[in-house]
Amino acid sequence: MNKPAEGSASLLISSAAFVVVIAGMQAAASLLVPFLLAAFVAIICLPMLSWLIHKQVPAGLAVLCITLAIVLIGLLIAAFVSSSLADFSHNIPSYQERLKALTADALLWLSGMGLAVSSQSMLDVLDPSAAMGMAGKLLSGLGNALANTFLIVLTVIFLLIEASALPHKWSAMDENAPSKHGFETFISSVGAYFSIKTWISLATGIFIAIWLAVIGVDYPLLWGLVAFLFNFVPNIGSIIAAIPALLLALVQLGGGDALLAGLGYIIANVVMGNVIEPKFMGRGVGLSTLVVFISLVFWGWVLGPVGMLLSVPLTMIIKLALESRQETQWVAILLGPDIKQAEAKR
């Protein structure tokens, strides 16, 4: 068999294997997602674990402290979100009454401009419960995954225990063992991404909460939390997070304050997304903008809403795996950013 035929056969086999693996992942998403969440939570906690062990804290006690902190933070967030959403749902009828009055004024203005619009169509577009459902879709998907809280926490505990013992195991391996450098590169890359993204998202959420509180929009802490979570979703997360808050500001306070609230979101996204994040994320994530967007759509389709949150780390795993083999390094280069721009930033 000649080399072109061998290459075509290899490509067909690789493509078939890829389709089989993706189909299997999609079929097993309900089981796979909790383990993926546990793995990435463990990666986020690794720097803290290393710091505690460096301070002579026993590994078991360090894992216990980190686990208690994870459970406490999760319970506080869950309690706050559930109470805020319940209060929001309780107030939806009053918001809808205000919306009807606002719609009547808008229809009167449009009719004066010679445009005939159905009032029901306007209400459907400006329905606060429907807009909240857009943000609630990702939150509910994350909540469904976190329904297996015990499994996730237990997996995190075992992963952290194993991580504390891994250096000793690696030192006992011979020269035929897998490369330690590749594993450390993956852990540091994912850890850097989550560290940078967490701090930027936290700053974004705090700014949005303060801005909306000053304006007087209801539930500013809830919208700040939504902005924090959705900032992990590349490209479109900040837009989805802004829609329900801006619609609520329109219904509750009027058009002027809604525009002012929108200005806050624009400032946060321009400063964080176009100034601060590219400055640090260029070193933290070696992926092109197009690949980040495609990975968002692809992993969201395979794993659901949680896949959107984990889209960048999962794509980084694939890129690192491609870099480890000589024959696939060209694919890894295509997935990465512009080499000249990356060199110019250094």
Side-chain angles (χ1 to χ4, degrees):
M1 186 181 290
N2 55 26
K3 288 186 177 180
E6 289 179 356
S8 300
S10 176
L11 179 61
L12 287 174
I13 293 172
S14 300
S15 301
F18 176 77
V19 171
V20 171
V21 169
I22 295 303
M25 292 179 65
Q26 194 173 38
S30 59
L31 179 64
L32 190 59
V33 165
F35 282 101
L36 286 175
L37 281 174
F40 288 109
V41 169
I43 290 173
I44 293 172
C45 296
L46 277 181
M48 179 59 68
L49 178 66
S50 301
W51 182 81
L52 290 173
I53 293 176
H54 181 71
K55 295 295 183 180
Q56 308 302 320
V57 178
L61 182 59
V63 171
L64 178 62
C65 293
I66 292 174
T67 303
L68 291 176
I70 292 172
V71 173
L72 180 60
I73 293 173
L75 290 175
L76 289 175
I77 292 177
F80 170 73
V81 170
S82 60
S83 62
S84 298
L85 289 178
D87 192 27
F88 179 85
S89 300
H90 177 73
N91 290 330
I92 280 181
S94 63
Y95 293 143
Q96 288 176 331
E97 290 299 322
R98 298 177 192 174
L99 182 59
K100 289 179 181 178
L102 186 65
T103 302
D105 294 337
L107 290 173
L108 184 61
W109 180 80
L110 289 173
S111 62
M113 299 291 293
L115 298 174
V117 180
S118 170
S119 60
Q120 187 59 45
S121 300
M122 184 82 81
L123 288 172
D124 290 339
V125 172
L126 300 176
D127 186 1
S129 60
M132 187 60 195
M134 296 177 61
K137 192 175 252 188
L138 181 57
L139 290 174
S140 63
L142 185 61
N144 292 335
L146 295 177
N148 298 314
T149 304
F150 178 76
L151 175 62
I152 294 175
V153 172
L154 195 63
T155 306
V156 169
I157 292 173
F158 285 124
L159 287 173
L160 291 177
I161 293 173
E162 190 66 22
S164 63
L166 195 58
H168 309 114
K169 292 183 178 181
W170 225 298
S171 61
M173 296 178 184
D174 56 22
E175 63 275 3
N176 296 322
S179 172
K180 183 181 178 182
H181 175 71
F183 177 78
E184 290 178 339
T185 300
F186 162 69
I187 294 296
S188 62
S189 298
V190 177
Y193 167 76
F194 270 114
S195 176
I196 296 169
K197 197 69 174 177
T198 298
W199 285 110
I200 292 175
S201 300
L202 183 62
T204 301
I206 291 173
F207 174 81
I208 291 298
I210 294 174
W211 185 276
L212 296 180
V214 171
I215 296 174
V217 180
D218 289 344
Y219 317 112
L221 293 179
L222 175 62
W223 306 128
L225 177 61
V226 169
F228 166 74
L229 292 176
F230 276 74
N231 202 56
F232 284 92
V233 179
N235 303 104
I236 64 172
S238 56
I239 299 175
I240 298 174
I243 291 175
L246 295 182
L247 184 54
L248 179 61
L250 175 65
V251 174
Q252 179 195 348
L253 303 173
D257 288 321
L259 291 175
L260 191 59
L263 177 63
Y265 277 94
I266 292 173
I267 292 173
N269 288 302
V270 168
V271 173
M272 297 297 178
N274 297 328
V275 179
I276 296 178
E277 187 169 319
K279 180 179 179 181
F280 295 99
M281 202 63 78
R283 296 192 296 269
V285 179
L287 298 173
S288 72
T289 305
L290 176 62
V291 170
V292 169
F293 178 74
I294 293 175
S295 68
L296 168 69
V297 177
F298 176 76
W299 290 113
W301 170 70
V302 174
L303 299 176
V306 177
M308 299 170 70
L309 294 175
L310 302 179
S311 59
V312 171
L314 290 172
T315 307
M316 288 168 57
I317 295 174
I318 296 175
K319 181 173 180 286
L320 291 171
L322 293 171
E323 286 177 344
S324 64
R325 299 185 61 187
Q326 185 71 30
E327 59 269 24
T328 58
Q329 284 184 356
W330 64 274
V331 183
I333 293 174
L334 289 178
L335 295 177
D338 190 330
I339 296 177
K340 287 188 177 181
Q341 289 183 0
E343 291 176 349
K345 289 181 180 179
R346 292 176 181 175

